[in-house]
Amino acid sequence: MKRRTFMIRVASVAGAIAATNVLAFGQKHGAHNKMGNMNHDSMMGKGSHDMTQMISPSYQLGNRTLTAQDIQVMQNASKDLLPASAIPQGIDLPLLPILKNESTEPKLFKATLTAKPVNIELIKGKPTDFWAYNNSIPGPTIEVYEGDTVEITLDNQLSQPTTIHWHGILVPADQDGNPQDEVKPGQKRTYKFTIPEGTAGTYWYHPHGHNTVAEQAYRGLAGTFIVKSKTDPYEKFAQQNWLFSDLKLQANGKIAENTFNDWMNGREGQFLLMNGVFKPILNITEPTRIRIWNACSAKFLNLTLADTKIYIIATDGGFLENPQELQKLLLTPGERAELLIIPTSTSTVALKSLAYDRGKMGMVPPDPDMTLATVNLQKNASATLPKNIRQLPIYAKPSIKRLIEYTEVMNHSQLLFLVNGKMHDMNRNDVTVKAGEVEEWVIFNNSHMDHNFHIHGTQFLVIEHNYNNQKSKPEINGFKDTVNLRPYEKVTIRFIQNEKGLRMYHCHIFEHETLGMMGQIKIQ
Ligand code: C2O
Ligand code: CU
Ligand code: CU
């Protein structure tokens, strides 16, 4: 085992602490049947928990046509899950490993990311096979300054094609790991791009191949990418990085395949990990700036922390104009935020993700409140916060307005997740726009469950939410590349695509994206 596996390995050697049943995904908590206006009552079979029993070979699951064997795999995947008590918890939050810069030239970051299977003994005697970047779960953190040039070679030692997508970073389209640009097993390719000035922020990277993203992500392929500012207004504060990911293991220690429910609702594991470990302990002993990533396949984080004052200082695309106080942070898959957390008492509190009803289908238990970590707080001198950090642009209303509509089709023979009535097709451009021009898109979630919207190649501003016939401005005004949509919500966004080429937009619940809930935009 290489040194970089320590994130998870540390957990396996630390003493296990008494388990609680906070992570009770597998248990029945009573009926919870959300159906909206779709015609799938008969599919749901009142009281049925395993939808796999209701489908048969040639069932159309998004862009997949299921075989008897696929259905068998799905059925087995819901059996014999490892109890949450089986994995060690309560160790100190580890730091994320840093990817070493191999270049000696100034302003150039050069390194290799090798994607390859790695075997980690998380549970004694039951090793888990992950797919990892540089043997590390999570993948190593890339840290550069805005203006730097990045040259990263992907060495694909997986058994299937892959790409690396630089989520949120403004890189040229042909360097952004599109599904059209796959790197075959045993091959290498170098991604090269220069980080634009003024885009300091909290980003990440993950695979974006054709029809393989969900699996490659849940087997462990994802890492963080920090773009630092040369004139960082928050530099004087202590810093921490919190990466949330989730893991679903079977009793034998192997990563579970996706069940039908996972494909339908998005996969959630029984272990929500923070920097690769389960329910760690951490300390906040002074006002601290915290970068947070939701790298889960589908888990919605609804974060709270008692006995603190919390300010959000940055969203997906970097700093807000001013710090803004908040009580609770909803972070859907793919989203990031930077917080400034100031302890207001000396105490020990739980970092929690509060229950959030995202309208899952089928007889799925409601999400419980979850404890993600134990936090030791120390009250300290109050902080003076910087002001007027930046000025966000004001995009005038453009003449062209486009509608992007999410829908679902579900019946006895198919379950489809569609964008403007279609599944993703690598050979089709759904929208053509002009580089450098302001676009206004209204995203309409015409379905009964939450889906979020992510677009490559740009950062947008949210102009308006329209939910339950109520229009409102966003609570936080900042650059975003991913935004959540509640059932039947419309969100209006404006953005500029500056570079020519092909870009994707999709729901960032990895299962939905992988099943084809994705469109393509051509910029010319
Ligand atoms: Cu984070 Cu198209 O992805
Ligand atoms: Cu992306
Ligand atoms: Cu979705």
Side-chain angles (χ1 to χ4, degrees):
M1 199 182 309
K2 305 271 165 34
R3 211 180 70 85
R4 282 238 172 78
T5 56
F6 74 93
M7 308 296 307
I8 272 194
R9 202 165 60 115
V10 166
S12 67
V13 295
I17 302 229
T20 67
N21 61 355
V22 173
L23 287 172
F25 288 111
Q27 294 166 18
K28 283 195 183 168
H29 287 277
H32 173 73
N33 206 341
K34 259 270 170 77
M35 241 150 286
N37 63 355
M38 294 175 14
N39 172 29
H40 42 97
D41 295 15
S42 52
M43 281 278 315
M44 295 302 173
K46 301 244 150 55
S48 153
H49 199 235
D50 180 11
M51 300 249 323
T52 330
Q53 292 154 5
M54 335 229 11
I55 58 176
S56 45
S58 85
Y59 189 87
Q60 197 65 40
L61 176 61
N63 50 23
R64 302 175 58 186
T65 305
L66 300 180
T67 61
Q69 202 208 329
D70 292 333
I71 293 171
Q72 191 65 53
V73 166
M74 287 177 181
Q75 264 159 5
N76 290 339
S78 52
K79 291 176 195 150
D80 291 333
L81 289 187
L82 195 72
S85 57
I87 190 170
Q89 53 176 284
I91 67 154
D92 288 343
L93 181 73
L95 297 175
L96 295 169
I98 301 282
L99 186 62
K100 194 172 167 290
N101 185 3
E102 283 159 14
S103 144
T104 47
E105 270 174 64
K107 301 194 71 191
L108 175 65
F109 185 94
K110 215 171 161 172
T112 296
L113 286 173
T114 302
K116 136 175 160 224
V118 58
N119 194 271
I120 299 174
E121 195 171 303
L122 197 55
I123 299 132
K124 216 172 173 318
K126 295 177 181 176
T128 304
D129 302 311
F130 289 94
W131 296 351
Y133 292 117
N134 296 5
N135 297 313
S136 173
I137 301 285
T141 297
I142 298 167
E143 252 189 35
V144 300
Y145 280 97
E146 41 188 8
D148 284 0
T149 294
V150 176
E151 253 185 71
I152 292 187
T153 300
L154 163 62
D155 180 353
N156 182 8
Q157 295 185 23
L158 303 171
S159 58
Q160 47 180 248
T162 190
T163 75
I164 301 180
H165 167 59
W166 312 100
H167 181 129
I169 306 171
L170 306 181
V171 317
D174 61 358
Q175 303 300 311
D176 207 12
N178 286 344
Q180 288 84 354
D181 302 327
E182 288 189 326
V183 179
K184 295 202 176 73
Q187 312 234 298
K188 293 183 184 176
R189 101 150 253 188
T190 300
Y191 296 97
K192 188 172 177 183
F193 48 88
T194 298
I195 311 275
E197 296 288 347
T199 63
T202 299
Y203 305 100
W204 62 304
Y205 61 92
H206 62 75
H208 223 295
H210 186 49
N211 297 346
T212 53
V213 179
E215 181 180 12
Q216 292 187 9
Y218 74 62
R219 293 199 184 280
L221 292 167
T224 55
F225 196 128
I226 293 172
V227 177
K228 296 189 284 187
S229 162
K230 278 169 269 187
T231 54
D232 195 322
Y234 298 97
E235 200 169 22
K236 63 175 184 191
F237 292 101
Q239 295 199 24
Q240 291 188 21
N241 297 325
W242 296 356
L243 170 77
F244 294 98
S245 61
D246 69 354
L247 184 62
K248 188 159 75 162
L249 296 179
Q250 295 197 283
N252 60 7
K254 301 286 178 236
I255 292 179
E257 306 265 354
N258 270 349
T259 62
F260 189 85
N261 271 342
D262 290 335
W263 285 112
M264 178 169 66
N265 291 321
R267 173 191 177 97
E268 292 183 11
Q270 72 272 54
F271 304 111
L272 215 147
L273 306 181
M274 198 170 169
N275 296 2
V277 303
F278 185 46
K279 289 202 206 165
I281 294 177
L282 61 104
N283 304 315
I284 303 179
T285 56
E286 60 188 304
T288 303
R289 176 222 201 132
I290 300 181
R291 297 179 191 262
I292 305 179
W293 290 260
N294 184 347
C296 297
S297 299
K299 176 71 189 169
F300 280 41
L301 297 172
N302 196 16
L303 303 172
T304 62
L305 187 62
D307 291 357
T308 57
K309 229 180 191 335
I310 303 177
Y311 296 87
I312 182 165
I313 60 171
T315 47
D316 299 334
F319 297 124
L320 303 181
E321 292 184 332
N322 284 294
Q324 187 179 331
E325 198 175 344
L326 56 75
Q327 309 300 328
K328 199 168 72 176
L329 177 69
L330 179 69
L331 214 58
T332 71
E335 287 185 285
R336 292 88 59 214
E338 292 177 37
L339 303 181
L340 201 70
I341 297 188
I342 305 170
T344 54
S345 77
T346 298
S347 57
T348 298
V349 294
L351 172 66
K352 284 191 179 167
S353 179
L354 300 181
Y356 179 87
D357 181 0
R358 60 182 179 88
K360 286 182 209 167
M361 293 185 265
M363 302 301 286
V364 178
D367 283 1
D369 286 0
M370 288 169 54
T371 294
L372 308 179
T374 301
V375 185
N376 296 315
L377 299 173
Q378 196 176 308
K379 190 178 156 125
N380 208 302
S382 68
T384 321
L385 302 187
K387 276 202 187 92
N388 304 322
I389 313 299
R390 79 179 318 171
Q391 196 142 25
L392 291 165
I394 295 171
Y395 296 141
K397 194 176 172 58
S399 52
I400 303 174
K401 193 168 170 169
R402 299 175 210 271
L403 180 71
I404 305 293
E405 185 188 29
Y406 284 162
T407 53
E408 295 162 7
V409 173
M410 188 176 202
N411 55 45
H412 283 278
S413 57
Q414 56 182 2
L415 168 57
L416 310 176
F417 295 98
L418 305 174
V419 184
N420 291 1
K422 293 175 185 152
M423 264 187 284
H424 176 233
D425 179 344
M426 289 214 294
N427 301 310
R428 185 186 69 228
N429 293 329
D430 299 285
V431 182
T432 303
V433 310
K434 269 208 184 138
E437 288 195 353
V438 178
E439 285 273 318
E440 178 169 297
W441 287 18
V442 176
I443 324 296
F444 177 26
N445 178 11
N446 192 8
S447 86
H448 64 285
M449 89 192 273
D450 289 44
H451 294 282
N452 66 11
F453 173 87
H454 168 55
I455 186 165
H456 297 188
T458 188
Q459 291 284 337
F460 54 78
L461 293 174
V462 176
I463 305 301
E464 187 181 85
H465 290 266
N466 186 345
Y467 181 59
N468 275 339
N469 290 319
Q470 294 258 352
K471 292 185 176 176
S472 61
K473 296 267 160 243
E475 273 167 47
I476 297 154
N477 184 35
F479 273 128
K480 296 286 296 165
D481 56 54
T482 308
V483 65
N484 188 48
L485 291 117
R486 293 162 286 186
Y488 307 105
E489 179 168 13
K490 285 183 182 150
V491 171
T492 303
I493 62 172
R494 287 184 198 152
F495 60 85
I496 299 173
Q497 287 279 8
N498 275 317
E499 304 231 19
K500 294 182 181 166
L502 188 67
R503 304 285 189 177
M504 312 289 133
Y505 51 91
H506 55 87
C507 173
H508 215 286
I509 291 175
F510 275 136
E511 279 67 32
H512 295 169
E513 172 197 343
T514 304
L515 291 175
M517 196 175 202
M518 176 151 71
Q520 301 194 140
I521 166 172
K522 180 156 189 210
I523 299 110
Q524 57 189 24

